[in-house]
Amino acid sequence: AQSVTQPDIHITVSEGASLELRCNYSYGATPYLFWYVQSPGQGLQLLLKYFSGDTLVQGIKGFEAEFKRSQSSFNLRKPSVHWSDAAEYFCAVGNFGNEKLTFGTGTRLTIIP
Amino acid sequence: NAGVMQNPRHLVRRRGQEARLRCSPMKGHSHVYWYRQLPEEGLKFMVYLQKENIIDESGMPKERFSAEFPKEGPSILRIQQVVRGDSAAYFCASSVSNSQETQYFGPGTRLLVL
């Protein structure tokens, strides 16, 4: 069964600092990987996705993520965070032939001035 | 170009009542997914439907929960005889076709059972 681990429940960073959110997955074949962001009381917005090809994927709002098969990781990065990035971030995994997504428990990001 | 629409956005029910949650997928999308998010947790898959067919309901509780996606109209998630443990945010997502397509999420329905 596929699973996703987001080891950091809560991260606090200063505005303008760099950010890395960790995501590890468990799945036998090549997974489809996603990062979604959820603002309080809102739905999920897709930041970026990896299906195949280049392992470094660019997303919206200046985010990027790198797929590392050897480490079973798909960490999300941003070089300089903005106060508007404060939200909950979810990593998810899917795979061909199994349409349901499996989500991690999320990482809450707080931005301080 | 409307996104996935869900209504109501907030729903309050007393124990034992029925809850009906509606989801209209994005235009051109024929696949619908329902997920549940309990407080302080990630989303958990419930059911995957195509028009008039339930494809995967492995995440649905065995009793009281049902889902449909009729030929015409929105997808409905129905919870009978609600209990306090059903209080959660229920999200619907849609995609164009199969698993290689991105799922786009609606704003969710927050269900509160008193």
Side-chain angles (χ1 to χ4, degrees):
Chain A
Q2 58 197 32
S3 66
V4 177
T5 301
Q6 293 181 249
D8 304 305
I9 296 173
H10 188 197
I11 283 183
T12 300
V13 299
S14 299
E15 189 169 15
S18 64
L19 172 70
E20 182 169 27
L21 301 182
R22 295 185 289 167
C23 172
N24 292 95
Y25 67 90
S26 172
Y27 180 65
T30 300
Y32 302 154
L33 294 158
F34 307 82
W35 275 100
Y36 286 87
V37 60
Q38 183 182 34
S39 297
Q42 302 298 313
L44 278 73
Q45 180 182 24
L46 179 69
L47 285 176
L48 47 79
K49 61 186 178 183
Y50 171 78
F51 281 178
S52 65
D54 192 347
T55 56
L56 183 63
V57 293
Q58 302 296 322
I60 62 171
K61 304 183 180 185
F63 285 93
E64 66 176 27
E66 186 171 11
F67 170 57
K68 292 185 177 180
R69 184 190 301 275
S70 62
Q71 298 177 19
S72 297
S73 68
F74 188 58
N75 294 347
L76 182 72
R77 300 193 294 252
K78 186 170 184 177
S80 176
V81 297
H82 185 263
W83 64 267
S84 60
D85 293 325
E88 187 100 19
Y89 291 79
F90 291 97
C91 181
V93 62
N95 61 87
F96 182 75
N98 182 10
E99 280 71 15
K100 60 187 176 186
L101 295 181
T102 299
F103 284 82
T105 50
T107 297
R108 183 171 299 172
L109 176 64
T110 298
I111 308 295
I112 56 176
Chain B
N1 188 14
V4 178
M5 300 181 69
Q6 290 187 248
N7 65 81
R9 294 290 305 274
H10 298 272
L11 182 62
V12 180
R13 285 287 178 266
R14 297 191 180 280
R15 282 180 295 170
Q17 291 184 320
E18 178 180 287
R20 279 180 179 252
L21 288 61
R22 288 177 290 277
C23 168
S24 296
M26 287 179 69
K27 187 176 180 180
H29 287 194
S30 59
H31 295 231
V32 166
Y33 315 80
W34 285 93
Y35 293 83
R36 177 165 63 176
Q37 184 181 32
L38 294 170
E40 308 299 322
E41 294 187 13
L43 279 74
K44 296 287 196 296
F45 168 81
M46 298 182 75
V47 62
Y48 161 43
L49 310 102
Q50 296 176 24
K51 287 282 187 182
E52 299 185 281
N53 283 301
I54 297 175
I55 307 302
D56 181 351
E57 56 181 348
S58 58
M60 287 279 270
K62 293 288 187 286
E63 298 177 345
R64 302 187 297 108
F65 285 71
S66 62
E68 63 176 8
F69 189 16
K71 187 176 181 180
E72 301 291 337
S75 175
I76 306 288
L77 180 67
R78 181 183 179 203
I79 311 172
Q80 295 178 289
Q81 299 175 320
V82 296
V83 301
R84 289 208 174 119
D86 296 332
S87 296
Y90 292 83
F91 290 95
C92 168
S94 72
S95 66
V96 172
S97 57
N98 62 21
S99 59
Q100 287 196 310
E101 297 294 334
T102 299
Q103 295 180 22
Y104 293 90
F105 283 78
T109 294
R110 271 81 181 166
L111 172 65
L112 176 63
V113 180
L114 301 177

